[in-house]
Amino acid sequence: MKILLSIAIAVPLVVTAQQRDYPIQPVSFTQVRVDDNFWAPKIEVNREVTIPYVLRMCREHGRIANFIAAADHSGAKLSVYPFDDTDVYKAIEGASYGLQVKKNPELERYLDTLIRIIGAAQEPDGYLYTFRSANEAKPHEWIGAKRWQNEEILSHELYDAGHLYEAAVAHYQATGKRTLLDIALKNADLLVRTFGYGKEVKYPGHQIVEIGLVKLYRVTGETKYLDLAKFFLDVRGGGESYNQADKRVVDQDSAEGHAVRAAYMYTGIADVAALTGNVPYEKAIDAIWNDVVSDKLYITGGIGATGNGEAFGDPYELPNMSAYAETCASIANVYWNSRMFLLHGGREIHRRTGKDLVQRPVERGVAQRYPVFLPEPAGVHGAERTERLV
């Protein structure tokens, strides 16, 4: 693969001297160009076909209408699930990466419009969650009677926030515009005021806000975001193994529960360990990584063997035709293993295996499944088909 680095270097929002970080530093996506016969065509298909298709699906399936209803407090019927807000955020994130590959003024204007719609749905104190703000006549049972009430279960309020932060940072880095970033920071500041010891002490029911908060820390230099990411990890324990809350994170040594939630959390642990020098975090994440690599990983790089809870199975429980191994888990596995390489790339096992576990799920999993499929069985009978996710 031929990779060309651009000469232009993006100016960060705030220049800070971070004392600790990953020993190996990645190159920002804004400084990378890919020119080869394998990835370049796929990136072009993503830019020309997939991103417009996803944005159209967000419109046709009510995701964008959710934000309009929230802005108006209209009581209109919303889409299906409280995590549907993230479809719009992820589409903006992907489109931002696409803008970095090739400028597209029409797409950029469309994103500007989407961001204005999102901003209008944000409440004055920064809260942004369409399924509550819309005042739907019959609210979804997951959201609870008040903010954060069901966060540790199924409300997905913090999950939505995490994807918002990732989209905001990508959009800012790709375009230099602060519009979505300011929305994200307003929401994150609400979380800082709300959560913490002596305040709301809750862990995210579906992890990813930890990753998003770290990204906000990196782009602003504000340690309050890194501190909150660590808080959300430290307060886990006393809950369910399904979302990795049955033990403190420093006491966990094996992968369990919902695979996507798990790999997002492991990514967040690695981020916080690198940025704070937290040795117990590093020991925990190393033990979990060894557990997965030794006996819970498909040859494709897929994780999460069972459809019962979309979860990790027992050691060596890796069936082929009934494998769940969803695409979301493969993506989360890429996130996690990219961090493990940055953290331990100098060690022989991670130099060989960590990079391979980034490349393998991308090449054999995600890249081979355009359009995207939810389950990724390792084998199928001729008459069987996987179900397309739209």
Side-chain angles (χ1 to χ4, degrees):
M1 178 185 297
K2 180 181 178 183
I3 298 180
L4 306 178
L5 303 183
S6 67
I7 298 175
I9 299 177
V11 178
L13 183 65
V14 175
V15 178
T16 61
Q18 295 172 357
Q19 295 182 350
R20 296 189 179 96
D21 208 335
Y22 287 109
I24 297 175
Q25 285 294 295
V27 177
S28 171
F29 79 91
T30 59
Q31 297 175 248
V32 176
R33 297 290 184 274
V34 178
D35 181 12
D36 74 328
N37 293 324
F38 182 81
W39 286 114
K42 287 179 168 53
I43 292 172
E44 187 65 12
V45 169
N46 192 56
R47 190 182 67 82
E48 291 283 351
V49 179
T50 308
I51 290 171
Y53 174 80
V54 170
L55 289 169
R56 179 164 58 87
M57 291 298 101
C58 284
R59 184 178 68 253
E60 292 180 3
H61 291 270
R63 272 48 169 181
I64 297 170
N66 287 352
F67 287 92
I68 296 172
D72 296 338
H73 309 291
S74 66
K77 183 174 176 57
L78 304 180
S79 59
V80 183
Y81 295 110
F83 52 71
D84 288 349
D85 290 359
T86 67
D87 289 345
V88 178
Y89 301 148
K90 287 179 277 191
I92 293 174
E93 182 184 5
S96 298
Y97 295 139
L99 289 174
Q100 177 58 32
V101 174
K102 185 176 181 180
K103 296 302 179 185
N104 183 333
E106 182 180 357
L107 175 60
E108 193 166 343
R109 286 192 297 270
Y110 187 79
L111 295 187
D112 291 343
T113 300
L114 271 186
I115 292 167
R116 285 194 293 272
I117 292 171
I118 292 168
Q122 187 169 38
E123 297 190 14
D125 66 352
Y127 188 71
L128 183 53
Y129 183 66
T130 67
F131 271 69
R132 192 178 311 281
S133 298
N135 294 329
E136 195 173 14
K138 186 178 179 181
H140 198 288
E141 61 182 352
W142 289 1
I143 74 171
K146 60 182 181 179
R147 294 181 183 183
W148 325 118
Q149 180 180 355
N150 285 351
E151 173 52 43
E152 293 183 345
I153 310 171
L154 285 170
S155 75
H156 290 80
E157 287 157 282
L158 295 177
Y159 174 75
D160 289 4
H163 278 296
L164 167 65
Y165 304 163
E166 289 202 294
V169 171
H171 182 259
Y172 168 72
Q173 290 177 333
T175 67
K177 297 178 180 179
R178 288 188 52 128
T179 47
L180 189 59
L181 182 63
D182 286 342
I183 293 169
L185 292 174
K186 187 176 181 180
N187 180 264
D189 287 341
L190 171 67
L191 299 192
V192 170
R193 295 192 304 271
T194 302
F195 292 92
Y197 298 107
K199 299 182 280 187
E200 287 274 4
V201 180
K202 292 181 182 291
Y203 54 79
H206 193 312
Q207 302 90 315
I208 202 172
V209 70
E210 305 86 347
I211 299 173
L213 285 165
V214 168
K215 289 190 175 183
L216 291 183
Y217 163 66
R218 288 188 181 281
V219 84
T220 67
E222 293 281 352
T223 57
K224 60 185 177 181
Y225 303 130
L226 177 61
D227 293 342
L228 185 58
K230 186 175 185 297
F231 167 80
F232 282 140
L233 293 168
D234 285 343
V235 296
R236 303 193 85 81
E240 302 292 331
S241 61
Y242 170 74
N243 59 3
Q244 302 77 42
D246 55 328
K247 304 173 187 174
R248 298 188 309 156
V249 295
V250 295
D251 295 329
Q252 298 187 31
D253 57 11
S254 61
E256 62 180 5
H258 188 268
V260 181
R261 285 172 164 85
Y264 281 157
M265 187 181 81
Y266 304 153
T267 303
I269 294 173
D271 278 344
V272 174
L275 289 165
T276 64
N278 191 304
V279 175
Y281 270 29
E282 187 174 329
K283 288 182 178 178
I285 202 66
D286 283 350
I288 296 168
W289 188 86
N290 285 320
D291 174 62
V292 171
V293 171
S294 298
D295 50 39
K296 295 177 182 175
L297 180 74
Y298 280 94
I299 194 171
T300 60
I303 56 174
T306 173
N308 181 19
E310 303 175 344
F312 287 102
D314 293 328
Y316 306 107
E317 183 185 350
L318 296 167
N320 285 335
M321 284 180 285
S322 64
Y324 197 71
E326 65 173 303
T327 306
C328 298
S330 292
I331 293 169
N333 199 27
V334 171
Y335 291 171
W336 177 27
N337 278 281
S338 68
R339 267 55 163 210
M340 295 303 288
F341 174 73
L342 298 178
L343 189 63
H344 293 314
R347 299 183 190 175
E348 184 65 21
I349 184 171
H350 287 282
R351 186 163 61 246
R352 290 185 176 183
T353 315
K355 286 192 296 185
D356 184 52
L357 290 180
V358 174
Q359 182 175 337
R360 188 182 300 176
V362 171
E363 291 187 351
R364 300 185 185 182
V366 179
Q368 299 303 321
R369 286 166 173 84
Y370 270 36
V372 175
F373 294 90
L374 189 56
E376 294 183 2
V380 294
H381 291 301
E384 292 179 346
R385 297 182 63 186
T386 52
E387 179 181 352
R388 182 181 299 186
L389 176 66
V390 295

